Structure formats: structure tokens, C-alpha cells
Amino acid sequence: VQLQASGGGLVQAGDSLRLSCATSGRTSTSYTMGWFRLAPGKEREFVTAIRWRDGLTYYAGSVKGRFTISREKANGMVYLQMNNLKPEDTAVYYCAAKPGHFAVGSAWLDRYWYPTWGQGTLVTVSS
């Protein structure tokens, strides 16, 4: 599978932004799709993930209630709707894919668990 992320930009605190991740070349209907972010001086951290087959989701505590992950099966798209953005959300955002259907677990939060990554898209939130 190949991934292409887009939708980043410069916004003000409190604004909303939607990121997109286009998937192509999928050979399975079972994937876990994740969003991670990399902020300056920090390690790449888990944001959220969704199980492709049934839409089960999981969120990091820092974004829960503000961010929503979704997918469109028909066109192979994964979205990250980000509301009430904060300056601390500033980062390069990456989408990632893990083939297979898995129960929710700590693996979902592990960046090394995902073998496939898209290029990042930069989100900058000004105060």
C-alpha cells in the first residue's frame, strides 16, 4: 500500500483543519490506519488510529474530543478532522498503515508497528 498525506497548513488557535490520507495499492481489506505527529524536539507520537474493516477507533488522550479519524472505503481515503487546534498541536503529521485486522491494543500506539508510512504534512497553529 502507498500513502499520500495532504491538508496541512497554517491556522490560528481554535481553528479547524482536515487532513487527508490517500491510500493506493491495497491488497487486503483489513488494515489499521494510524496518524502520528512529529513536533520539533520530540519523538513521533501516536495521535489516532482506525480499523479499516469496521471503523473502530482509538485516540491519544491529548486529542480525544477534538480530533476525529474517519475513512471512506469507496475511495480509499482516511481523514483526520482537527477541531479547536492548539499551538501544541503544531507538528508534521504522518499517516501510517498496518495490514491485518487486530484488536485494539498497545501496539496501535507504537510507531514501529506500522510498516508503511506516507510523507508528512505540516500543521502550524499560531497562538
Coordinates of all heavy atoms in Angstrom, one line a residue, residues 24-121:
S24 N -3.4 3.7 -1.8 CA -3.5 3.1 -3.1 C -2.7 1.8 -3.0 O -1.8 1.6 -2.2 CB -2.9 4.0 -4.2 OG -1.5 4.3 -3.9
G25 N -3.0 0.9 -3.9 CA -2.3 -0.4 -4.0 C -2.6 -1.4 -2.9 O -1.8 -2.3 -2.6
R26 N -3.7 -1.2 -2.2 CA -4.1 -2.1 -1.1 C -4.4 -3.4 -1.7 O -5.1 -3.6 -2.7 CB -5.3 -1.5 -0.4 CG -5.0 -0.4 0.6 CD -6.2 0.1 1.3 NE -7.2 0.8 0.4 CZ -8.4 0.3 0.2 NH1 -8.8 -0.7 0.8 NH2 -9.2 1.0 -0.6
T27 N -3.9 -4.5 -1.1 CA -4.1 -5.8 -1.5 C -5.0 -6.6 -0.5 O -5.3 -7.7 -0.6 CB -2.8 -6.6 -1.7 OG1 -2.1 -6.6 -0.4 CG2 -2.0 -5.9 -2.8
S28 N -5.4 -5.9 0.5 CA -6.2 -6.5 1.6 C -7.3 -5.5 2.0 O -7.2 -4.3 1.8 CB -5.4 -6.8 2.8 OG -6.2 -7.2 3.9
T29 N -8.4 -6.1 2.5 CA -9.5 -5.2 3.1 C -9.3 -5.0 4.5 O -10.1 -4.3 5.2 CB -10.9 -5.8 2.8 OG1 -10.9 -7.1 3.4 CG2 -11.1 -5.9 1.3
S30 N -8.2 -5.5 5.1 CA -8.0 -5.4 6.5 C -6.7 -4.6 6.8 O -5.6 -5.1 6.5 CB -7.9 -6.7 7.2 OG -9.1 -7.4 7.2
Y31 N -6.9 -3.4 7.3 CA -5.8 -2.5 7.7 C -6.1 -1.8 8.9 O -7.3 -1.6 9.2 CB -5.5 -1.5 6.6 CG -4.7 -2.0 5.4 CD1 -5.3 -2.6 4.3 CD2 -3.3 -1.9 5.4 CE1 -4.6 -3.1 3.3 CE2 -2.6 -2.4 4.3 CZ -3.2 -3.0 3.3 OH -2.5 -3.4 2.2
T32 N -5.1 -1.4 9.7 CA -5.2 -0.4 10.7 C -4.5 0.8 10.2 O -3.3 0.7 9.8 CB -4.6 -0.9 12.0 OG1 -5.3 -2.1 12.5 CG2 -4.8 0.1 13.1
M33 N -5.2 1.9 10.2 CA -4.6 3.1 9.7 C -4.4 4.1 10.8 O -5.3 4.3 11.6 CB -5.6 3.8 8.7 CG -5.9 2.9 7.5 SD -4.5 2.5 6.5 CE -4.0 4.2 6.0
G34 N -3.2 4.6 10.9 CA -2.9 5.5 12.0 C -2.4 6.9 11.6 O -2.0 7.1 10.5
W35 N -2.6 7.8 12.5 CA -2.0 9.2 12.3 C -1.0 9.4 13.5 O -1.4 9.1 14.6 CB -3.1 10.3 12.4 CG -3.9 10.4 11.1 CD1 -5.1 9.9 10.9 CD2 -3.5 11.1 9.9 NE1 -5.5 10.2 9.6 CE2 -4.6 11.0 9.0 CE3 -2.4 11.9 9.5 CZ2 -4.6 11.6 7.7 CZ3 -2.4 12.4 8.3 CH2 -3.5 12.3 7.4
F36 N 0.2 9.8 13.1 CA 1.2 10.2 14.1 C 1.6 11.6 13.8 O 1.3 12.1 12.7 CB 2.4 9.2 14.0 CG 2.1 7.9 14.5 CD1 1.4 6.9 13.9 CD2 2.7 7.5 15.7 CE1 1.1 5.7 14.4 CE2 2.5 6.2 16.3 CZ 1.7 5.3 15.6
R37 N 2.3 12.2 14.8 CA 2.8 13.5 14.5 C 4.2 13.7 15.2 O 4.5 13.0 16.2 CB 1.9 14.6 15.1 CG 1.7 14.6 16.6 CD 0.6 15.6 17.0 NE 0.4 15.6 18.5 CZ -0.6 16.3 19.0 NH1 -1.4 17.0 18.3 NH2 -0.7 16.3 20.4
L38 N 5.0 14.5 14.5 CA 6.3 14.8 15.0 C 6.5 16.3 15.2 O 6.5 17.0 14.2 CB 7.3 14.3 13.9 CG 8.8 14.4 14.3 CD1 9.2 13.7 15.5 CD2 9.7 14.0 13.1
A39 N 6.7 16.7 16.4 CA 6.9 18.1 16.7 C 8.4 18.3 17.0 O 9.1 17.4 17.3 CB 6.1 18.4 18.0
P40 N 8.8 19.6 16.8 CA 10.3 19.9 17.0 C 10.7 19.5 18.4 O 10.1 19.8 19.4 CB 10.3 21.4 16.8 CG 9.2 21.7 15.9 CD 8.1 20.7 16.3
G41 N 11.8 18.7 18.4 CA 12.4 18.4 19.7 C 11.7 17.2 20.4 O 12.1 16.9 21.5
K42 N 10.8 16.6 19.7 CA 10.0 15.5 20.4 C 10.1 14.3 19.5 O 10.5 14.3 18.3 CB 8.6 15.9 20.6 CG 8.4 17.0 21.6 CD 6.9 17.3 21.8 CE 6.7 18.4 22.8 NZ 5.2 18.6 23.1
E43 N 9.7 13.1 20.1 CA 9.6 11.9 19.3 C 8.3 11.8 18.6 O 7.3 12.5 19.0 CB 9.8 10.7 20.2 CG 11.2 10.6 20.8 CD 11.4 9.3 21.5 OE1 10.4 8.5 21.6 OE2 12.5 9.0 22.0
R44 N 8.2 11.0 17.5 CA 7.0 10.8 16.8 C 6.0 10.2 17.7 O 6.3 9.2 18.4 CB 7.2 10.0 15.6 CG 6.1 9.9 14.6 CD 6.4 9.2 13.3 NE 7.5 9.8 12.6 CZ 7.8 9.5 11.4 NH1 7.1 8.7 10.7 NH2 8.9 10.1 10.8
E45 N 4.8 10.8 17.9 CA 3.8 10.3 18.8 C 2.5 9.9 18.1 O 2.1 10.5 17.1 CB 3.5 11.3 19.9 CG 2.8 12.6 19.4 CD 2.4 13.5 20.6 OE1 2.4 13.0 21.7 OE2 1.9 14.6 20.3
F46 N 1.9 9.0 18.7 CA 0.6 8.5 18.2 C -0.5 9.5 18.4 O -0.5 10.2 19.5 CB 0.2 7.2 19.0 CG -1.2 6.7 18.8 CD1 -1.5 5.9 17.6 CD2 -2.2 7.0 19.6 CE1 -2.8 5.5 17.4 CE2 -3.5 6.5 19.4 CZ -3.8 5.8 18.3
V47 N -1.3 9.7 17.4 CA -2.5 10.6 17.5 C -3.8 9.8 17.6 O -4.6 10.0 18.5 CB -2.5 11.6 16.3 CG1 -3.7 12.5 16.4 CG2 -1.2 12.4 16.3
T48 N -4.0 9.0 16.6 CA -5.2 8.2 16.5 C -5.1 7.1 15.5 O -4.2 7.2 14.6 CB -6.4 9.1 16.1 OG1 -7.6 8.4 16.1 CG2 -6.2 9.8 14.7
A49 N -6.0 6.2 15.5 CA -6.0 5.1 14.5 C -7.4 4.6 14.3 O -8.3 4.7 15.2 CB -5.1 3.9 15.0
I50 N -7.6 3.9 13.2 CA -8.9 3.4 12.8 C -8.7 2.0 12.2 O -7.8 1.8 11.4 CB -9.7 4.3 11.9 CG1 -11.1 3.9 11.7 CG2 -9.0 4.5 10.6 CD1 -12.0 4.9 11.0
R51 N -9.6 1.1 12.5 CA -9.6 -0.2 11.9 C -10.4 -0.2 10.7 O -11.6 0.1 10.7 CB -10.1 -1.3 12.9 CG -9.7 -2.7 12.6 CD -9.8 -3.6 13.8 NE -11.2 -3.6 14.3 CZ -11.5 -4.3 15.4 NH1 -10.6 -4.9 16.2 NH2 -12.8 -4.3 15.8
W52 N -9.8 -0.5 9.5 CA -10.5 -0.3 8.3 C -11.8 -1.0 8.1 O -12.8 -0.5 7.6 CB -9.5 -0.7 7.1 CG -10.0 -0.3 5.8 CD1 -10.7 -1.0 4.9 CD2 -9.8 1.0 5.2 NE1 -11.0 -0.3 3.8 CE2 -10.4 1.0 3.9 CE3 -9.1 2.2 5.6 CZ2 -10.4 2.0 3.0 CZ3 -9.1 3.2 4.7 CH2 -9.7 3.2 3.5
R53 N -11.8 -2.3 8.5 CA -13.0 -3.1 8.2 C -14.2 -2.6 8.9 O -15.3 -2.6 8.3 CB -12.7 -4.6 8.6 CG -13.8 -5.5 8.2 CD -13.5 -6.9 8.8 NE -12.3 -7.5 8.1 CZ -11.8 -8.7 8.5 NH1 -12.4 -9.4 9.5 NH2 -10.8 -9.1 7.9
D54 N -14.1 -2.2 10.2 CA -15.3 -1.9 11.0 C -15.3 -0.5 11.5 O -16.3 -0.1 12.2 CB -15.6 -2.9 12.1 CG -14.4 -3.0 13.1 OD1 -13.5 -2.1 13.0 OD2 -14.4 -3.8 13.9
G55 N -14.3 0.3 11.3 CA -14.2 1.7 11.8 C -13.9 1.9 13.2 O -14.1 3.0 13.7
L56 N -13.5 0.9 13.9 CA -13.2 1.0 15.3 C -12.0 2.0 15.4 O -11.1 2.0 14.7 CB -12.7 -0.3 15.9 CG -12.4 -0.3 17.4 CD1 -13.6 -0.1 18.2 CD2 -11.7 -1.6 17.8
T57 N -12.1 2.9 16.4 CA -11.1 4.0 16.5 C -10.5 4.0 17.9 O -11.0 3.5 18.9 CB -11.7 5.4 16.3 OG1 -12.8 5.6 17.2 CG2 -12.3 5.5 14.9
Y58 N -9.3 4.7 18.0 CA -8.6 4.9 19.3 C -7.9 6.2 19.2 O -7.4 6.5 18.1 CB -7.7 3.7 19.5 CG -7.1 3.7 20.9 CD1 -7.8 3.2 22.0 CD2 -5.8 4.2 21.2 CE1 -7.3 3.2 23.3 CE2 -5.3 4.2 22.4 CZ -6.1 3.7 23.5 OH -5.6 3.7 24.7
Y59 N -7.9 6.9 20.3 CA -7.3 8.3 20.3 C -6.3 8.4 21.4 O -6.5 7.9 22.5 CB -8.4 9.3 20.5 CG -9.4 9.4 19.3 CD1 -10.5 8.7 19.3 CD2 -9.1 10.3 18.2 CE1 -11.4 8.7 18.2 CE2 -10.0 10.3 17.1 CZ -11.1 9.6 17.1 OH -12.0 9.6 16.1
A60 N -5.3 9.3 21.2 CA -4.5 9.7 22.3 C -5.3 10.7 23.2 O -6.1 11.4 22.7 CB -3.2 10.4 21.7
G61 N -4.9 10.7 24.4 CA -5.7 11.5 25.4 C -5.6 13.0 25.0 O -6.5 13.7 25.3
S62 N -4.5 13.4 24.5 CA -4.3 14.8 24.2 C -5.2 15.4 23.1 O -5.4 16.6 22.9 CB -2.8 15.1 23.8 OG -2.5 14.3 22.7
V63 N -5.8 14.5 22.3 CA -6.6 14.9 21.1 C -8.0 14.4 21.3 O -8.9 14.8 20.5 CB -6.0 14.5 19.8 CG1 -4.6 14.9 19.7 CG2 -6.1 13.0 19.6
K64 N -8.3 13.5 22.2 CA -9.6 13.0 22.3 C -10.6 14.1 22.6 O -10.4 15.0 23.4 CB -9.6 12.0 23.5 CG -10.8 11.0 23.4 CD -10.7 9.9 24.4 CE -11.8 8.9 24.3 NZ -11.6 7.8 25.2
G65 N -11.7 14.1 21.8 CA -12.7 15.1 21.9 C -12.5 16.3 21.0 O -13.4 17.0 20.7
R66 N -11.3 16.4 20.4 CA -11.0 17.5 19.5 C -10.8 16.9 18.0 O -11.1 17.6 17.1 CB -9.8 18.3 19.9 CG -10.0 18.9 21.3 CD -8.8 19.9 21.5 NE -7.5 19.1 21.6 CZ -6.5 19.4 20.8 NH1 -6.5 20.4 19.9 NH2 -5.3 18.8 21.0
F67 N -10.2 15.8 17.9 CA -9.8 15.2 16.7 C -10.7 14.0 16.4 O -11.2 13.3 17.3 CB -8.4 14.7 16.6 CG -7.3 15.8 16.7 CD1 -7.6 17.1 17.0 CD2 -6.0 15.4 16.4 CE1 -6.7 18.1 17.0 CE2 -5.0 16.4 16.4 CZ -5.4 17.7 16.7
T68 N -11.0 13.8 15.1 CA -11.8 12.7 14.7 C -11.2 12.0 13.4 O -11.0 12.7 12.5 CB -13.3 13.1 14.3 OG1 -13.9 13.7 15.5 CG2 -14.1 11.9 14.0
I69 N -11.0 10.7 13.5 CA -10.5 10.0 12.4 C -11.7 9.3 11.7 O -12.6 8.8 12.4 CB -9.4 9.0 12.8 CG1 -8.7 8.3 11.6 CG2 -10.0 7.9 13.8 CD1 -7.5 7.5 11.9
S70 N -11.6 9.2 10.4 CA -12.7 8.5 9.7 C -12.1 7.9 8.4 O -10.9 8.3 8.0 CB -13.8 9.4 9.3 OG -13.4 10.5 8.5
R71 N -12.8 7.0 7.7 CA -12.3 6.5 6.5 C -13.5 6.3 5.5 O -14.6 6.2 5.9 CB -11.6 5.2 6.6 CG -12.5 3.9 6.6 CD -13.0 3.5 7.9 NE -13.6 2.2 8.0 CZ -15.0 2.1 8.1 NH1 -15.7 3.2 8.2 NH2 -15.5 0.9 8.2
E72 N -13.2 6.5 4.2 CA -14.1 6.2 3.2 C -13.7 5.0 2.4 O -12.7 5.1 1.7 CB -14.2 7.4 2.3 CG -15.0 8.6 2.8 CD -15.2 9.7 1.8 OE1 -14.8 9.5 0.7 OE2 -15.7 10.8 2.2
K73 N -14.4 3.9 2.6 CA -14.0 2.7 1.9 C -14.0 2.8 0.4 O -13.1 2.3 -0.3 CB -14.9 1.5 2.4 CG -14.6 1.1 3.8 CD -15.5 -0.2 4.1 CE -15.2 -0.8 5.4 NZ -16.0 -2.0 5.6
A74 N -15.0 3.5 -0.1 CA -15.1 3.5 -1.6 C -13.9 4.1 -2.3 O -13.6 3.6 -3.4 CB -16.4 4.3 -1.9
N75 N -13.3 5.1 -1.7 CA -12.2 5.8 -2.4 C -10.9 5.6 -1.7 O -9.9 6.3 -2.1 CB -12.5 7.3 -2.6 CG -12.8 8.0 -1.3 OD1 -12.5 7.5 -0.3 ND2 -13.3 9.2 -1.4
G76 N -10.9 4.8 -0.7 CA -9.6 4.5 0.0 C -9.0 5.7 0.7 O -7.8 5.8 0.8
M77 N -9.8 6.6 1.3 CA -9.3 7.8 1.9 C -9.5 7.6 3.5 O -10.4 7.0 4.0 CB -10.1 9.0 1.5 CG -9.9 9.4 0.0 SD -8.2 9.9 -0.4 CE -8.1 11.4 0.6
V78 N -8.5 8.2 4.2 CA -8.6 8.3 5.6 C -8.5 9.8 5.9 O -7.6 10.5 5.3 CB -7.5 7.5 6.3 CG1 -7.5 7.7 7.8 CG2 -7.5 6.1 5.9
Y79 N -9.3 10.3 6.8 CA -9.3 11.7 7.2 C -9.0 11.9 8.7 O -9.3 11.0 9.5 CB -10.7 12.3 6.9 CG -11.1 12.2 5.4 CD1 -12.0 11.2 5.0 CD2 -10.5 13.0 4.5 CE1 -12.4 11.1 3.7 CE2 -10.9 12.9 3.1 CZ -11.8 11.9 2.8 OH -12.1 11.8 1.4
L80 N -8.4 13.0 9.0 CA -8.2 13.5 10.3 C -8.8 14.9 10.5 O -8.2 15.8 10.0 CB -6.8 13.5 10.7 CG -6.5 13.9 12.2 CD1 -7.2 12.9 13.2 CD2 -5.0 13.9 12.4
Q81 N -10.0 14.9 11.1 CA -10.6 16.2 11.3 C -10.1 16.8 12.7 O -10.3 16.1 13.7 CB -12.2 16.1 11.4 CG -12.9 17.4 11.7 CD -12.8 18.4 10.6 OE1 -12.8 18.1 9.5 NE2 -12.5 19.7 11.1
M82 N -9.5 17.9 12.6 CA -8.9 18.5 13.8 C -9.6 19.8 14.2 O -9.6 20.7 13.4 CB -7.4 18.8 13.6 CG -6.7 17.5 13.2 SD -4.9 17.8 13.0 CE -4.8 18.9 11.6
N83 N -10.3 19.8 15.3 CA -11.0 21.0 15.8 C -10.3 21.6 17.0 O -9.6 20.9 17.7 CB -12.5 20.6 16.1 CG -13.2 20.1 14.9 OD1 -13.0 20.5 13.7 ND2 -14.2 19.2 15.1
N84 N -10.6 22.9 17.2 CA -10.1 23.5 18.4 C -8.6 23.3 18.5 O -8.1 22.9 19.6 CB -10.8 23.1 19.7 CG -10.5 23.9 20.9 OD1 -10.1 25.1 20.8 ND2 -10.6 23.3 22.1
L85 N -7.9 23.6 17.4 CA -6.5 23.4 17.4 C -5.7 24.3 18.4 O -6.1 25.4 18.7 CB -5.9 23.6 16.0 CG -6.2 22.4 15.0 CD1 -6.1 22.9 13.6 CD2 -5.2 21.3 15.3
K86 N -4.7 23.7 19.0 CA -3.9 24.4 19.9 C -2.4 24.6 19.4 O -2.0 23.7 18.6 CB -3.9 23.7 21.3 CG -5.2 23.4 21.8 CD -5.2 22.6 23.1 CE -6.5 22.3 23.6 NZ -6.5 21.4 24.9
P87 N -1.7 25.5 19.9 CA -0.3 25.7 19.4 C 0.5 24.4 19.6 O 1.4 24.1 18.8 CB 0.3 26.8 20.3 CG -1.0 27.7 20.6 CD -2.1 26.7 20.7
E88 N 0.2 23.6 20.7 CA 0.9 22.4 20.9 C 0.6 21.3 19.9 O 1.2 20.2 20.0 CB 0.7 21.9 22.4 CG -0.8 21.8 22.8 CD -1.2 23.0 23.5 OE1 -0.9 24.2 23.1 OE2 -2.0 22.9 24.5
D89 N -0.4 21.5 19.1 CA -0.7 20.6 18.0 C 0.2 20.8 16.8 O 0.2 20.0 15.8 CB -2.1 20.7 17.6 CG -3.1 20.3 18.6 OD1 -2.9 19.3 19.3 OD2 -4.1 21.0 18.8
T90 N 1.0 21.8 16.8 CA 2.0 22.1 15.7 C 2.9 20.9 15.6 O 3.6 20.5 16.5 CB 2.7 23.4 16.0 OG1 1.8 24.5 16.0 CG2 3.8 23.6 14.9
A91 N 2.9 20.4 14.4 CA 3.8 19.2 14.1 C 3.6 18.8 12.6 O 2.8 19.3 11.9 CB 3.4 18.0 15.0
V92 N 4.5 17.9 12.2 CA 4.4 17.3 10.9 C 3.5 16.0 11.2 O 3.8 15.2 12.1 CB 5.7 16.9 10.3 CG1 5.5 16.1 9.0 CG2 6.5 18.1 10.0
Y93 N 2.4 15.9 10.5 CA 1.5 14.8 10.7 C 1.7 13.7 9.6 O 1.8 14.0 8.4 CB 0.1 15.3 10.6 CG -0.3 16.0 11.9 CD1 0.2 17.2 12.2 CD2 -1.2 15.4 12.8 CE1 -0.2 17.9 13.4 CE2 -1.5 16.0 14.0 CZ -1.0 17.2 14.3 OH -1.3 17.9 15.5
Y94 N 1.8 12.5 10.0 CA 2.0 11.3 9.1 C 0.9 10.3 9.2 O 0.4 10.0 10.3 CB 3.3 10.6 9.5 CG 4.6 11.4 9.4 CD1 5.0 12.2 10.5 CD2 5.3 11.4 8.2 CE1 6.1 12.9 10.4 CE2 6.5 12.2 8.2 CZ 6.9 12.9 9.3 OH 8.0 13.7 9.2
C95 N 0.5 9.8 8.1 CA -0.4 8.6 8.1 C 0.4 7.4 7.9 O 1.4 7.4 7.3 CB -1.5 8.7 7.1 SG -1.0 8.9 5.4
A96 N -0.1 6.3 8.5 CA 0.6 5.0 8.5 C -0.4 3.9 8.4 O -1.5 4.0 8.7 CB 1.4 4.9 9.8
A97 N 0.1 2.7 7.9 CA -0.8 1.6 7.7 C -0.1 0.3 8.2 O 1.1 0.1 8.0 CB -1.1 1.5 6.2
K98 N -1.0 -0.5 8.7 CA -0.6 -1.9 9.2 C -1.6 -2.9 8.6 O -2.7 -2.8 8.9 CB -0.6 -1.9 10.7 CG -0.4 -3.3 11.3 CD 1.0 -3.9 11.1 CE 1.1 -5.2 11.9 NZ 2.5 -5.7 11.8
P99 N -1.1 -3.8 7.7 CA -2.1 -4.7 7.2 C -2.5 -5.7 8.2 O -1.7 -6.2 9.1 CB -1.3 -5.4 6.1 CG 0.2 -5.2 6.4 CD 0.2 -3.9 7.2
G100 N -3.8 -6.1 8.2 CA -4.4 -7.0 9.1 C -5.4 -6.4 9.9 O -5.6 -5.2 10.0
H101 N -6.2 -7.3 10.6 CA -7.3 -6.9 11.4 C -7.0 -7.3 12.9 O -6.9 -8.5 13.2 CB -8.6 -7.6 11.0 CG -9.8 -7.2 11.7 ND1 -10.5 -6.1 11.3 CD2 -10.5 -7.8 12.7 CE1 -11.6 -5.9 12.1 NE2 -11.6 -6.9 12.9
F102 N -6.8 -6.3 13.7 CA -6.3 -6.5 15.1 C -7.2 -5.9 16.1 O -7.9 -4.9 15.9 CB -4.9 -5.9 15.2 CG -3.9 -6.4 14.3 CD1 -3.6 -5.8 13.1 CD2 -3.2 -7.6 14.5 CE1 -2.7 -6.3 12.2 CE2 -2.3 -8.1 13.6 CZ -2.0 -7.4 12.5
A103 N -7.2 -6.5 17.2 CA -7.9 -6.0 18.4 C -7.2 -4.7 18.8 O -6.0 -4.6 18.6 CB -8.0 -7.0 19.5
V104 N -7.9 -3.8 19.5 CA -7.3 -2.6 20.0 C -6.3 -3.0 21.1 O -6.6 -3.8 22.0 CB -8.3 -1.6 20.6 CG1 -7.6 -0.5 21.3 CG2 -9.2 -1.1 19.5
G105 N -5.1 -2.5 21.0 CA -4.1 -2.8 22.0 C -3.0 -1.8 21.9 O -3.0 -0.9 21.1
S106 N -2.0 -2.0 22.8 CA -0.9 -1.0 22.9 C -0.1 -1.0 21.6 O 0.6 0.1 21.3 CB 0.0 -1.4 24.0 OG 0.5 -2.7 23.9
A107 N -0.2 -2.0 20.8 CA 0.6 -2.0 19.5 C 0.1 -0.8 18.6 O 0.9 -0.3 17.8 CB 0.4 -3.3 18.8
W108 N -1.1 -0.5 18.7 CA -1.7 0.6 17.9 C -0.9 1.9 18.1 O -0.8 2.7 17.2 CB -3.2 0.8 18.2 CG -4.1 -0.2 17.6 CD1 -3.9 -1.6 17.6 CD2 -5.4 0.0 17.1 NE1 -5.0 -2.2 17.1 CE2 -5.9 -1.3 16.7 CE3 -6.2 1.1 16.9 CZ2 -7.2 -1.4 16.2 CZ3 -7.4 1.0 16.3 CH2 -7.9 -0.3 16.0
L109 N -0.4 2.1 19.3 CA 0.3 3.3 19.6 C 1.8 3.3 19.3 O 2.4 4.4 19.4 CB 0.2 3.6 21.1 CG -1.2 4.0 21.7 CD1 -2.2 2.9 21.6 CD2 -1.0 4.5 23.1
D110 N 2.3 2.2 18.8 CA 3.7 2.0 18.6 C 4.0 2.3 17.1 O 3.6 1.6 16.2 CB 4.1 0.6 18.9 CG 5.6 0.3 18.8 OD1 6.3 1.2 18.3 OD2 6.0 -0.8 19.1
R111 N 4.8 3.3 16.9 CA 5.1 3.7 15.5 C 5.9 2.6 14.8 O 5.8 2.5 13.6 CB 5.9 5.0 15.5 CG 7.3 4.9 16.1 CD 7.9 6.3 16.1 NE 9.3 6.3 16.6 CZ 9.6 6.6 17.9 NH1 8.7 6.7 18.8 NH2 10.9 6.6 18.2
Y112 N 6.6 1.8 15.5 CA 7.3 0.7 14.8 C 6.4 -0.5 14.4 O 6.8 -1.3 13.6 CB 8.4 0.2 15.8 CG 9.4 1.2 16.1 CD1 9.5 1.8 17.4 CD2 10.3 1.7 15.1 CE1 10.4 2.7 17.7 CE2 11.2 2.7 15.5 CZ 11.3 3.2 16.7 OH 12.2 4.2 17.0
W113 N 5.2 -0.4 14.8 CA 4.2 -1.5 14.5 C 3.7 -1.3 13.1 O 3.3 -2.2 12.4 CB 3.1 -1.5 15.5 CG 2.1 -2.6 15.4 CD1 2.3 -3.9 15.7 CD2 0.7 -2.5 15.1 NE1 1.2 -4.6 15.5 CE2 0.1 -3.8 15.1 CE3 -0.1 -1.4 14.7 CZ2 -1.2 -4.0 14.9 CZ3 -1.5 -1.7 14.4 CH2 -2.0 -3.0 14.5
Y114 N 3.8 -0.1 12.6 CA 3.3 0.3 11.2 C 4.4 0.2 10.2 O 5.4 0.9 10.3 CB 2.7 1.7 11.2 CG 1.5 1.8 12.2 CD1 1.7 2.1 13.5 CD2 0.2 1.8 11.7 CE1 0.6 2.2 14.4 CE2 -0.9 1.9 12.5 CZ -0.7 2.2 13.9 OH -1.8 2.3 14.7
P115 N 4.3 -0.7 9.2 CA 5.4 -0.8 8.3 C 5.4 0.2 7.1 O 6.4 0.4 6.5 CB 5.2 -2.3 7.7 CG 3.7 -2.5 7.8 CD 3.3 -1.8 9.1
T116 N 4.2 0.8 6.9 CA 4.1 1.7 5.8 C 3.7 3.1 6.2 O 2.8 3.3 7.0 CB 3.0 1.2 4.8 OG1 3.4 -0.1 4.4 CG2 2.9 2.1 3.6
W117 N 4.4 4.1 5.7 CA 4.2 5.5 6.0 C 4.1 6.3 4.8 O 4.7 6.1 3.8 CB 5.4 6.0 6.9 CG 5.5 5.3 8.2 CD1 6.0 4.1 8.5 CD2 5.0 5.9 9.4 NE1 5.8 3.8 9.8 CE2 5.2 4.9 10.4 CE3 4.4 7.1 9.8 CZ2 4.9 5.1 11.8 CZ3 4.0 7.3 11.1 CH2 4.3 6.3 12.1
G118 N 3.3 7.4 4.9 CA 3.2 8.4 3.9 C 4.2 9.5 4.3 O 4.8 9.5 5.3
Q119 N 4.4 10.5 3.3 CA 5.2 11.6 3.6 C 4.3 12.5 4.6 O 3.1 12.4 4.7 CB 5.6 12.4 2.4 CG 4.6 13.5 2.0 CD 3.2 13.0 1.5 OE1 3.0 11.8 1.4 NE2 2.3 13.9 1.4
G120 N 5.0 13.3 5.3 CA 4.3 14.1 6.3 C 3.6 15.4 5.7 O 4.0 15.8 4.6
T121 N 2.7 16.0 6.4 CA 2.1 17.2 6.1 C 2.2 18.1 7.3 O 1.8 17.7 8.4 CB 0.7 17.1 5.6 OG1 0.2 18.3 5.1 CG2 -0.3 16.5 6.6

